[in-house]
Amino acid sequence: PCTELGKGQKCVSTDLARAILFEADRRICQEYLGGQGGFESTRLAIYPFMVELLENMESVENGSSKFRKWIVYSGHDSLIAPVLAALGTFDCKWPPYASHIEFELWSQSECGSERSDLVKDEKNKKDCSGTFVKILYNGKVVTNL
């Protein structure tokens, strides 16, 4: 990255850019997972949002939902990182641009043999009953059923 400064052009070196990105990852990790209360405070801060998600899923499951099949929440990296941290899936990397988390609600009828990709191992394929939540981060599964 370069900027115009006075008569000449000054650029940030690749090594300095990498160091800055490394420090940003370190700080976001410390903020949301840090040993001095970071993880606990993250879980407390994100709790109301997680309760809302759970209530919406429960209302779909018990048939009282006023929602259809799709609910969208919008947020920034400052929401995505703590949600991932609270779920125990945060990798301590700053969420890339256009990151997203998907919470998919599945019922028994949807997880038959044609949807065996919902479970990751043969043991879990044998017990496919009830309702399940599949969580994806940027298109990759981050939870087991």
Side-chain angles (χ1 to χ4, degrees), residues 48-67:
F49 177 68
M50 300 305 287
V51 167
E52 184 174 334
L53 282 175
L54 179 61
E55 288 173 349
N56 286 332
M57 287 186 218
E58 287 174 338
S59 69
V60 168
E61 182 182 22
N62 67 29
S64 66
S65 175
K66 61 184 176 191
F67 301 106

Side-chain angles (χ1 to χ4, degrees), residues 81-92:
V83 168
L84 292 172
L87 293 170
T89 61
F90 187 50
D91 63 359
C92 287

Side-chain angles (χ1 to χ4, degrees), residues 11-117:
C11 297
V12 174
S13 70
T14 302
D15 288 341
L16 180 56
R18 281 192 186 118
I20 291 168
L21 293 174
F22 177 82
E23 180 63 16
D25 286 344
R26 189 189 70 75
R27 287 187 182 204
I28 198 170
C29 188
Q30 186 65 26
E31 179 175 347
Y32 298 124
L33 296 177
Q36 297 180 341
F39 180 64
E40 290 82 7
S41 62
T42 295
R43 290 179 64 191
L44 284 171
I46 211 67
Y47 180 78
F49 177 68
M50 300 305 287
V51 167
E52 184 174 334
L53 282 175
L54 179 61
E55 288 173 349
N56 286 332
M57 287 186 218
E58 287 174 338
S59 69
V60 168
E61 182 182 22
N62 67 29
S64 66
S65 175
K66 61 184 176 191
F67 301 106
R68 300 286 186 235
K69 294 187 178 244
W70 187 263
I71 300 172
V72 176
Y73 297 92
S74 180
H76 294 274
D77 50 2
S78 59
L79 176 64
I80 289 178
V83 168
L84 292 172
L87 293 170
T89 61
F90 187 50
D91 63 359
C92 287
K93 301 288 184 199
W94 203 287
Y97 182 73
S99 288
H100 61 284
I101 303 171
E102 300 168 45
F103 294 85
E104 296 181 354
L105 189 61
W106 291 87
S107 65
Q108 179 181 6
S109 63
E110 297 170 316
C111 68
S113 60
E114 71 278 359
R115 289 306 313 213
S116 61
D117 62 312

